[in-house]
Amino acid sequence: KKLYVEKDLPEDIRKIETEYKNNGYLDVRLSTPLVTLSPDKTRIFIAIGVDEGRVYRFGQTSFDGYLVFTSSSLQKTVEYRRGRIFNQEKFEDTIRGVQELYADVGRLRARINPVKTFNDKTDQMDVRFDVLEGPISYVDHVDVEGNKATKPHVIKREVVVKTGAAFSAARVRKSREKIM
């Protein structure tokens, strides 16, 4: 009973696809929607063909290419558990968690490449995260902009991140909290 807006349809299709992927249907395929108008021209019908495929479950998770952290500290960032139905959002949260872990130690250019492999023996989707750690990034300078009443040096003294130090996402968050 909502108003049909043609430009919103692709976003709605993506939402349907995301919902399927969050419920384990990684191979889901949606057809091009068929939009038809009722004979009395008061309703619009949208038909979407769905090929769900099979339901996948999380299998074994491993990491490769890491030097800075131990395997156990990387495992703590994993947002899902083995045997549970595959959830794309938790999978992406895990990637973000690993990237944040590296950003806290100055590795802003760390790249996480997930490799999903279906394991026929366990009937689960095993995931290997290939880690390219990258170099340490350093703080060049800290700028304060947009303040009208407060002088820049008053705000800068609350900043925990110092010029020349290795970048730390945790310190940036702490600085932001102190300024707020």
Side-chain angles (χ1 to χ4, degrees):
K1 296 186 178 182
K2 290 186 178 179
L3 187 63
Y4 174 70
V5 180
E6 188 175 1
K7 67 179 178 74
D8 292 344
L9 190 57
E11 180 61 29
D12 292 339
I13 298 294
R14 278 192 292 281
K15 287 178 183 176
I16 292 170
E17 186 176 8
T18 299
E19 186 65 27
Y20 270 100
K21 287 185 176 183
N22 285 338
N23 287 292
Y25 296 96
L26 299 180
D27 299 331
V28 68
R29 286 189 314 239
L30 302 174
S31 68
T32 304
L34 176 65
V35 181
T36 56
L37 191 60
S38 67
D40 62 357
K41 298 185 179 180
T42 58
R43 294 179 177 263
I44 290 180
F45 299 99
I46 302 171
I48 303 170
V50 178
D51 180 15
E52 294 176 339
R54 60 166 295 147
V55 175
Y56 290 95
R57 293 186 175 276
F58 283 113
Q60 185 171 347
T61 301
S62 60
F63 293 89
D64 190 32
Y66 57 91
L67 296 172
V68 175
F69 294 104
T70 63
S71 178
S72 60
S73 60
L74 290 172
Q75 284 288 345
K76 290 178 186 175
T77 63
V78 177
E79 295 286 330
Y80 54 84
R81 297 292 163 246
R82 185 178 186 162
R84 299 279 171 105
I85 291 177
F86 195 96
N87 184 310
Q88 188 68 27
E89 285 179 0
K90 288 186 178 184
F91 179 71
E92 290 169 4
D93 287 345
T94 299
I95 295 171
R96 268 191 295 281
V98 174
Q99 287 175 330
E100 285 178 14
L101 194 64
Y102 276 97
D104 283 345
V105 294
R107 308 274 179 158
L108 288 176
R109 293 187 181 95
R111 298 288 171 242
I112 315 304
N113 182 31
V115 179
K116 297 182 273 189
T117 310
F118 182 70
N119 188 335
D120 289 326
K121 295 175 188 168
T122 61
D123 202 37
Q124 294 176 334
M125 183 66 75
D126 293 340
V127 180
R128 184 184 78 235
F129 293 101
D130 292 335
V131 179
L132 180 62
E133 294 177 334
I136 295 175
S137 298
Y138 295 93
V139 178
D140 185 28
H141 63 281
V142 178
D143 288 333
V144 178
E145 294 178 358
N147 50 319
K148 293 183 178 156
T150 309
K151 297 213 183 266
H153 73 276
V154 174
I155 295 174
K156 277 190 175 183
R157 72 176 174 215
E158 298 300 322
V159 175
V160 182
V161 179
K162 300 299 177 195
T163 302
F167 181 87
S168 171
R171 288 178 163 254
V172 170
R173 281 191 297 275
K174 185 173 181 170
S175 297
R176 186 170 189 266
E177 289 171 7
K178 287 179 78 174
I179 291 170
M180 295 305 230

